[in-house]
Amino acid sequence: MAAETLEFGRFYVHSYNLCLWKRVKVMRYFPQRLMGMLKLRGCNRQTAYWFPCCRSIHTWGMSFAIDVVALDRQQKIVGVYRNIQPGQFLRCPEAYSIVECEAGCQLPLEIWFGEQLRFELMTETEEELYE
């Protein structure tokens, strides 16, 4: 897979088979991770960005607030941080990976603390539907 290629998928609360985000961009490579959500002016409520092997994020240069979900190695929710404003730095020592979405996420993420999420890759056909 080329460094510029983005992977897309969905996150589900495993025990409920409930889809949290219908389009999750996997940010594996340095250029993707560096830019993250910086160029966006907002984000679709069904879209999130997943940063595997990540314990800290920043919102320097962003134009909107985000919600952050910290996951451990088993993809269990170990932290939920709401309304992180532009210009902030957040460290999540308990995290193995981080999911970012636009602030104001209507999902009751806090009640799923300790629940395992399941990530499913989208097929190319599914990805094309969102473009």
Side-chain angles (χ1 to χ4, degrees):
M1 183 178 299
E4 297 80 32
T5 302
L6 269 176
E7 293 175 276
F8 295 93
R10 294 184 177 96
F11 262 124
Y12 294 84
V13 178
H14 185 70
S15 59
Y16 298 99
N17 201 33
L18 174 69
C19 185
L20 297 178
W21 297 284
K22 291 183 180 178
R23 189 169 197 227
V24 177
K25 296 181 181 183
V26 183
M27 312 301 275
R28 292 192 191 280
Y29 305 104
F30 180 74
Q32 297 167 343
R33 294 168 76 93
L34 181 64
M35 293 309 294
M37 299 171 78
L38 284 177
K39 291 184 177 181
L40 302 176
R41 296 289 166 239
C43 187
N44 179 309
R45 298 284 181 194
Q46 290 295 318
T47 300
Y49 292 75
W50 181 28
F51 295 81
C53 302
C54 178
R55 289 193 168 110
S56 60
I57 58 102
H58 70 83
T59 56
W60 304 320
M62 291 184 62
S63 61
F64 59 96
I66 61 173
D67 289 343
V68 174
V69 179
L71 305 175
D72 69 7
R73 286 183 184 269
Q74 290 76 41
Q75 294 180 337
K76 291 181 182 177
I77 297 176
V78 294
V80 177
Y81 305 89
R82 298 284 191 164
N83 203 30
I84 308 301
Q85 295 295 313
Q88 301 297 308
F89 176 82
L90 176 67
R91 187 169 188 279
C92 310
E94 70 279 13
Y96 181 73
S97 66
I98 288 179
V99 179
E100 298 179 356
C101 61
E102 186 169 6
C105 177
Q106 299 298 309
L107 298 167
L109 297 165
E110 292 82 359
I111 68 168
W112 293 316
F113 191 88
E115 289 283 342
Q116 186 173 21
L117 301 188
R118 181 180 77 246
F119 182 76
E120 293 182 1
L121 278 173
M122 294 171 80
T123 65
E124 288 183 27
T125 305
E126 290 173 312
E127 287 177 32
E128 290 171 4
L129 293 174
Y130 284 95
E131 292 181 357

